[in-house]
Amino acid sequence: SPQELVKAVRNLGYMGAVVTTTTNTKRKKLKLTYHIISGEPYRLNHLTYDVPDTAIYRLMMKDSTASLIHDNMIFNINTIDAERDRITTLLNNNGFYRFTKDYISFTADTLLESKDIDLTLHLLPLRRSDKYPAPPYRQYRLDNVSIISNFDMMQATTSSNIDINDSIRYNGYPIYFKNKLSVRPKVLTDNIFFAAGDLYNNQQIQRTYRNFGRLQAFTYSNIRFTESTTDSTRLSSYILLTEGRSKS
């Protein structure tokens, strides 16, 4: 427990924190007291960006006012990790499909005989085999968005073996179904917040999930993405919907 307390306090910026314990026993009961000596906090002197990708760097600078890190702040590890999450969300909402926080790291340099820290944010290269150079980060656009109703999640494992036999096109979206479409097409398309030609945007995808989750006509929804075999920056999207039992 003292080690965990030291770790927690140091994560809050108090790198010289010390935790000691004292005990007081009375009969068969023991009172344990933790004494935390925090010391002075370390502070951020300056933040530098090591981001070779110009598109990602421009996005980060455009959104820099929302950054959780600023000069003279207490060097809080929890805040720095939250900044990794914030940048990841920003990139996921601007076309960077499958980007994760693992591609963002920080290095901290302590200035000599001071409690000031210079921090550097690094954008790590995409992982690739040692035989080939790391590929560049890509912004993905949606090539097409298809709606598949009557989806049986217990049987269909891939989009190629989904049981459908009819289709219509409404408001720019192809809608596939089996035998009969029991929900009006407008109900489907009004609850989708992305379309063909849009940049991949995880926020709009989650909004779409929430909307279909509120519709009592469906018991299950899933949005799948597949990368194009002819264009490395294109995604095909399939909105799979499982209808509930009919009610009067």
Side-chain angles (χ1 to χ4, degrees):
S1 293
Q3 292 175 355
E4 291 301 313
L5 280 172
V6 166
K7 187 189 302 182
V9 177
R10 289 180 179 177
N11 282 347
L12 296 175
Y14 298 86
M15 301 302 179
V18 176
V19 176
T20 59
T21 61
T22 58
T23 59
N24 182 19
T25 57
K26 185 176 181 180
R27 296 189 181 93
K28 292 186 179 182
K29 292 185 177 180
L30 181 144
K31 181 178 180 181
L32 177 63
T33 304
Y34 294 97
H35 304 274
I36 302 174
I37 303 172
S38 64
E40 292 295 320
Y42 281 65
R43 292 186 177 272
L44 178 65
N45 182 58
H46 185 65
L47 173 64
T48 304
Y49 292 88
D50 174 25
V51 182
D53 189 288
T54 55
I56 291 179
Y57 181 76
R58 283 196 297 267
L59 272 173
M60 291 171 63
M61 293 301 99
K62 186 177 179 181
D63 196 53
S64 60
T65 55
S67 176
L68 304 176
I69 300 176
H70 54 83
D71 292 352
N72 203 40
M73 65 171 276
I74 293 178
F75 186 70
N76 190 320
I77 299 297
N78 301 319
T79 301
I80 292 171
D81 194 53
E83 177 69 0
R84 293 174 67 210
D85 290 328
R86 188 194 69 82
I87 294 173
T88 300
T89 299
L90 172 68
L91 298 180
N92 288 160
N93 292 339
N94 283 274
F96 291 93
Y97 175 61
R98 286 183 178 169
F99 186 93
T100 69
K101 64 187 284 185
D102 294 332
Y103 291 111
I104 301 171
S105 69
F106 288 89
T107 56
D109 293 326
T110 306
L111 301 181
L112 187 63
E113 295 183 356
S114 77
K115 289 183 169 57
D116 291 335
I117 292 177
D118 283 338
L119 191 67
T120 303
L121 183 153
H122 304 278
L123 177 68
L124 305 180
L126 286 170
R127 299 181 182 92
R128 190 76 177 263
S129 170
D130 294 337
K131 297 180 180 179
Y132 303 98
Y137 286 94
R138 297 190 296 265
Q139 282 181 291
Y140 286 82
R141 286 192 179 274
L142 302 179
D143 203 21
N144 54 71
V145 178
S146 303
I147 305 169
I148 301 175
S149 186
N150 313 113
F151 172 68
D152 187 348
M153 61 181 178
M154 301 302 294
Q155 296 180 0
T157 57
T158 65
S159 57
S160 60
N161 64 1
I162 294 174
D163 189 10
I164 52 177
N165 57 20
D166 205 349
S167 67
I168 61 171
R169 192 172 187 88
Y170 185 84
N171 202 20
Y173 294 91
I175 304 173
Y176 301 92
F177 54 93
K178 182 181 179 181
N179 300 331
K180 179 184 177 182
L181 183 63
S182 58
V183 180
R184 285 176 296 146
K186 188 176 187 303
V187 173
L188 299 176
T189 60
D190 282 357
N191 284 285
I192 302 174
F193 290 93
F194 55 93
D198 291 351
L199 278 174
Y200 174 84
N201 187 321
N202 189 60
Q203 183 179 35
Q204 302 298 59
I205 293 164
Q206 296 307 316
R207 287 184 66 191
T208 301
Y209 267 122
R210 288 194 295 270
N211 273 19
F212 280 114
R214 296 188 187 105
L215 295 178
Q216 295 183 1
F218 302 106
T219 59
Y220 172 82
S221 62
N222 186 22
I223 303 173
R224 293 182 185 174
F225 294 92
T226 58
E227 297 185 38
S228 171
T229 57
T230 58
D231 188 338
S232 60
T233 63
R234 292 282 176 171
L235 292 171
S236 294
S237 174
Y238 300 91
I239 302 174
L240 310 175
L241 302 171
T242 301
E243 297 178 5
R245 293 183 179 181
S246 299
K247 298 179 176 64
S248 60

